[in-house]
């Protein structure tokens, strides 16, 4: 998977219940932009609390021209989100 294919406004889909096969993916947000090389920042307009959140690029299973597909379920995704800018906090 090439993170260079991750672009603003792509949808982010988690695995549907029961895994990828036989279940529709679940939309969990929209890409705002890449933040550094290892994190994807989500648009705050998709967040219930109106704030930006991040997730690591190693959660990405595949990317096509419209969607970033994750290797996490929606529950795993929401439980593992980073709530403070991981790039700014790393310096």
């Amino acid at each position: 998977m090439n993170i260079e294919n991750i672009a603003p406004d792509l949808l982010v889909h988690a695995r549907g219940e029961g895994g990828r096969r036989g279940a529709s993916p679940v939309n969990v947000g929209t890409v705002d932009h890449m933040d550094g090389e290892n994190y994807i920042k989500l648009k705050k307009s998709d967040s219930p609390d109106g704030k930006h959140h991040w997730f690591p690029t190693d959660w990405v299973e595949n990317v096509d021209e419209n969607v970033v597909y994750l290797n996490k379920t929606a529950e795993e995704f929401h439980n593992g989100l980073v709530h403070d800018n991981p790039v700014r906090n790393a310096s």
Side-chain angles (χ1 to χ4, degrees):
M1 194 285 306
N2 190 347
I3 63 169
E4 292 176 6
N5 295 334
I6 299 171
D9 300 321
L10 290 181
L11 297 175
V12 179
H13 285 183
R15 289 183 175 180
E17 290 299 317
R20 291 269 285 151
R21 294 195 175 145
S24 298
V26 177
N27 184 333
V28 292
T30 306
V31 173
D32 190 293
H33 64 267
M34 288 291 300
D35 217 348
E37 294 182 11
N38 298 313
Y39 286 91
I40 299 168
K41 184 178 186 178
L42 295 168
K43 289 188 174 199
K44 64 183 175 181
S45 59
D46 289 343
S47 174
D49 64 5
K51 297 179 182 178
H52 288 289
H53 299 282
W54 293 258
F55 66 93
T57 55
D58 62 357
W59 289 7
V60 176
E61 182 173 74
N62 192 20
V63 180
D64 67 23
E65 61 277 352
N66 299 309
V67 179
V68 175
Y69 294 97
L70 303 179
N71 58 16
K72 303 283 182 196
T73 65
E75 182 179 0
E76 291 169 329
F77 171 81
H78 290 293
N79 288 339
L81 280 177
V82 177
H83 303 290
D84 294 313
N85 186 327
V87 176
R88 182 179 58 220
N89 293 337
S91 28

